[in-house]
Amino acid sequence: MSLLFTPLTLPAPEGVGLVLRNRAIVAPMCQYVVDAEDGVPRDWHLQHLGAFAAGGFGLVTTEATAVEGRGRISPRDVGLYDDEQQRAHERVVAFLHSQGAAAAVQLAHAGGKASTYPWLPGQPEGTVPVADGGWNTVSAVDGPVLPGLSAASGLSREGIADVVAAFADAARRADAAGYDAIQLHGAHGYLIHQFLSPLTNTRTDEYGGDEDGRTRLVREVAAAVRAVWPAHKPLGIRVSATDWVDGGWDVAASARLLRRLAAEHGVTWVDVSSGGLGRGAVIPVGPGYQVSLAAELTRELAGTPVVVSAVGLVEEALQAETIVAAGQAHAVSVGRAALRNPHWATAAAARLGVDRAELAHPPQYWRANW
């Protein structure tokens, strides 16, 4: 019996929550599609995400989906802040559902790391100038978030309120589009993380200073989203559990935040990543390099309703099975390996001895003989 290929429930404040057919999740992966400059998911996104659903994954998570235009990582990122974008998301979700997968949208704001060139071969690095289609960015404080980026403007209290409202509006649209779960992007040095980390948040008002102040933005976002997101649908978050820098954000702070988000705002799922703010970070990248962070948070969050998914070079079937079976996490999020093989989940199930009749692949692929 493979534990990885047993159902998993993401709890919600009301009802049974979201029951996934298995514990293999597709991690968010930006695509930087050239014809997505208006933030609208295109045919590429349909086939990219749809292939994972047909490939047997339990939950498919979209790429970072901006809650407003200035929150896009690059001019080629998708958003969920107008009607045309919403209709395109509806099309994607409908296909994911038709293949038996659940659909999650990662709602994001890149803050001071917005308006950058796509992370693709042959592209320049740094901020896209306004004259070339970029825009002025915002962050916790004035200045560049990282070397090589243009200076961002620190958000005023009114500006923070606008960002919170943008997250709530995107959540309404996500529900209308049919998404089953929301994952707030609180990782990788983007806006929420810029407020969380003492490396980037040097504010002295109620949105800075101590941990209570630095977590205020994410708590307000979670509250605003939970208020408009149906109570029977789960709300999650991706965190950078550590900055990998002394004096930065760390696992203990992540655990305190997650306990509070769960108790106060019904956040019941965390995808555990790390890093994103540079500043001298030494990251031990290798197979499963972030699993220990997920394991620590799984222990710290025992007794809460929070489901933990591990991410970061989780690539092999036996590796993923061991993570779940050993209790290091409740699920795994797969990125690069899924790009190489969108049918990773079905192939992994076969590798783990799941009966062929139980494999969640379309009948058109029966002759693949997993």
Side-chain angles (χ1 to χ4, degrees):
M1 173 67 71
S2 165
L3 186 59
L4 182 64
F5 288 93
T6 58
L8 174 68
T9 298
L10 301 184
E14 295 181 3
V16 299
L18 176 62
V19 180
L20 308 180
R21 63 186 176 188
N22 59 52
R23 298 162 187 257
I25 297 172
V26 176
M29 292 175 280
C30 290
Q31 295 297 289
Y32 305 116
V33 176
V34 69
D35 62 350
E37 293 187 356
D38 52 6
V40 178
R42 300 296 183 181
D43 285 350
W44 176 268
H45 302 92
L46 176 65
Q47 69 81 29
H48 166 68
L49 297 169
F52 302 134
F57 283 92
L59 177 64
V60 178
T61 315
T62 69
E63 65 184 79
T65 300
V67 299
E68 61 173 356
R70 66 178 177 175
R72 291 170 294 159
I73 300 170
S74 85
R76 296 188 189 178
D77 286 338
V78 301
L80 190 48
Y81 48 85
D82 68 30
D83 292 344
E84 185 180 4
Q85 294 165 357
Q86 181 179 316
R87 287 191 294 269
H89 280 275
E90 290 172 5
R91 177 175 175 239
V92 172
V93 172
F95 186 78
L96 299 182
H97 286 165
S98 76
Q99 301 305 306
V105 59
Q106 186 188 64
L107 296 183
H109 196 301
K113 291 180 71 174
S115 188
T116 56
Y117 288 99
W119 191 24
L120 294 171
Q123 290 287 322
E125 295 182 355
T127 303
V128 180
V130 173
D132 293 335
W135 54 89
N136 295 319
T137 62
V138 295
S139 185
V141 298
D142 292 338
V145 173
L146 290 174
L149 298 181
S150 296
S153 298
L155 282 164
S156 65
R157 292 181 179 86
E158 293 76 15
I160 290 173
D162 290 342
V163 167
V164 172
F167 270 95
D169 183 62
R172 292 188 191 94
R173 292 184 178 277
D175 180 44
Y179 280 107
D180 304 297
I182 284 175
Q183 181 187 96
L184 302 174
H185 200 347
H188 299 170
Y190 297 123
L191 184 64
I192 288 175
H193 189 187
Q194 290 161 26
F195 272 80
L196 290 176
S197 177
L199 301 178
T200 45
N201 186 350
T202 57
R203 296 175 72 108
T204 57
D205 65 1
E206 66 269 34
Y207 290 93
D210 61 11
E211 196 171 292
D212 188 68
R214 287 183 283 106
T215 62
R216 189 176 305 279
L217 172 64
V218 69
R219 290 186 284 112
E220 290 185 355
V221 167
V225 169
R226 187 72 272 180
V228 300
W229 183 240
H232 68 278
K233 293 186 177 184
L235 173 61
I237 187 170
R238 174 174 265 195
V239 298
S240 279
T242 177
D243 287 330
W244 298 106
V245 176
D246 289 342
W249 185 256
D250 58 24
V251 178
S254 297
R256 289 190 292 270
L257 171 63
L258 291 164
R259 282 194 291 267
R260 189 167 183 180
L261 291 177
E264 298 177 4
H265 306 300
V267 173
T268 57
W269 168 38
V270 59
D271 198 49
V272 183
S273 192
S274 69
L277 287 175
R279 300 172 183 261
V282 179
I283 304 176
V285 177
Y289 70 102
Q290 295 171 155
V291 172
S292 63
L293 305 174
E296 188 169 350
L297 285 176
T298 300
R299 290 191 297 270
E300 289 291 330
L301 296 171
T304 76
V306 179
V307 168
V308 177
S309 53
V311 67
L313 293 181
V314 177
E315 303 201 329
E316 302 296 334
L318 290 174
Q319 175 196 21
E321 178 71 20
T322 300
I323 291 167
V324 176
Q328 294 174 298
H330 304 100
V332 296
S333 292
V334 182
R336 292 171 177 86
L339 282 179
R340 289 193 293 272
N341 177 13
H343 297 274
W344 183 93
T346 299
R351 176 70 178 85
L352 295 169
V354 176
D355 187 272
R356 186 180 181 200
E358 299 177 19
L359 296 183
H361 63 75
Q364 295 88 339
Y365 292 154
W366 184 257
R367 286 172 292 177
N369 291 325
W370 279 290

